[in-house]
């Protein structure tokens, strides 16, 4: 099955194949993912897949405390949250 998810294999493949044309941003869901899963997803996306930040949050208010792990991972990795 093909994935159109922001962290899916097709997105990673496109970014890897055309790094001067496409920039990857990780997607996380603080409602369905634990803080550890969020941190691991962002770290892997930035360090292994050369994504440049976080771009999708699953429609959660940024002031929701469940977003704290996103802010922490972005700060630690020095990447933006769009």
């Amino acid at each position: 099955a093909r994935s159109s998810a922001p962290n899916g294999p097709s997105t990673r493949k496109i970014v890897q194949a055309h790094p001067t044309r496409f920039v990857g941003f990780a997607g996380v869901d603080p409602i369905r993912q634990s803080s550890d899963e969020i941190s691991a997803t962002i770290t892997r996306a930035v360090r292994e897949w050369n994504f440049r930040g976080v771009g999708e949050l699953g429609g959660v208010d940024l002031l929701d405390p469940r977003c704290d792990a996103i802010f922490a991972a972005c700060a630690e990795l020095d990447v933006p949250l769009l």
Side-chain angles (χ1 to χ4, degrees), residues 4-68:
S4 61
N7 303 329
S10 26
T11 301
R12 292 192 304 265
K13 190 174 184 177
I14 290 168
V15 171
Q16 286 179 339
H18 306 283
T20 61
R21 298 192 63 163
F22 295 99
V23 175
F25 282 85
V28 292
D29 185 346
I31 293 175
R32 293 192 172 109
Q33 291 178 283
S34 70
S35 295
D36 290 341
E37 289 172 318
I38 289 169
S39 179
T41 298
I42 295 170
T43 299
R44 186 172 186 198
V46 171
R47 291 188 177 157
E48 294 180 24
W49 306 330
N50 296 315
F51 281 20
R52 302 222 185 125
V54 177
E56 295 189 30
L57 298 181
V60 177
D61 185 333
L62 291 175
L63 298 177
D64 189 311
R66 293 174 287 191
C67 291
D68 291 349

